[in-house]
């Protein structure tokens, strides 16, 4: 059984940084396309970033380009999201997601089969 567990959320001031981690167990991480999504109160869950199996191809939503970096360490079965220059509008619950299908539509929420429980990120102004 695949388990996805996020960590690293917290409270930070605007302009600060946080690093989220996502540990995957059950199968080797290389099996999966990995992504981060986020959901703010009263809003739909939205795509943030995704990364291919080898870590070469990365994808970002426009609002985080240049500020966030997704990476993966397949040997440690862990995916990371480095978030810099945080803004109050980045406040949300951040979810890690995994999918073992072909590398298509990496930003599509419905392609991901495995989800973590989420970690809260709060950015104060």
């Amino acid at each position: 059984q695949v388990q996805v567990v996020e960590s690293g959320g917290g409270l930070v001031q605007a302009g600060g940084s946080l690093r989220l981690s996502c540990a995957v167990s059950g199968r080797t991480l290389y099996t999966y396309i990995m992504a981060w999504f986020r959901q703010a109160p009263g809003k739909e869950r939205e795509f943030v970033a995704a990364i291919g199996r080898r870590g070469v191809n990365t994808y970002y939503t426009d609002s985080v380009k240049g500020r966030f970096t997704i990476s993966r360490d397949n040997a440690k079965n862990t995916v990371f999201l480095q978030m810099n220059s945080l803004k109050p509008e980045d406040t949300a619950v951040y979810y890690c997601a995994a999918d073992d299908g072909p590398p298509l539509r990496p930003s599509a929420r419905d392609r991901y089969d495995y989800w973590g429980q989420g970690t809260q990120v709060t950015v104060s102004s």
Side-chain angles (χ1 to χ4, degrees), residues 1-121:
Q1 184 176 355
V2 178
Q3 287 192 316
V4 179
V5 180
E6 306 95 335
S7 61
L11 173 64
V12 64
Q13 289 189 331
S17 298
L18 279 175
R19 188 192 198 201
L20 305 183
S21 298
C22 172
V24 178
S25 61
R27 293 172 70 185
T28 179
L29 186 65
Y30 186 79
T31 305
Y32 304 108
I33 306 297
M34 299 297 299
W36 288 94
F37 287 76
R38 66 186 179 186
Q39 188 167 17
K43 294 188 176 181
E44 294 281 323
R45 190 171 300 188
E46 65 172 358
F47 170 76
V48 176
I51 187 166
R53 290 179 172 83
R54 292 183 297 161
V56 174
N57 296 320
T58 56
Y59 312 87
Y60 298 94
T61 192
D62 285 346
S63 63
V64 308
K65 285 180 181 177
R67 300 189 298 123
F68 290 11
T69 302
I70 188 171
S71 62
R72 63 193 292 160
D73 185 336
N74 286 340
K76 296 183 178 179
N77 273 19
T78 305
V79 178
F80 304 98
L81 185 68
Q82 178 67 44
M83 305 186 294
N84 298 329
S85 302
L86 282 160
K87 304 176 181 180
E89 50 264 43
D90 295 317
T91 295
V93 177
Y94 282 70
Y95 296 91
C96 182
D99 183 75
D100 58 3
L104 303 173
R105 301 168 57 235
S107 63
R109 188 175 65 186
D110 61 2
R111 71 154 294 160
Y112 292 93
D113 293 325
Y114 307 104
W115 292 82
Q117 81 290 347
T119 185
Q120 177 70 46
V121 172

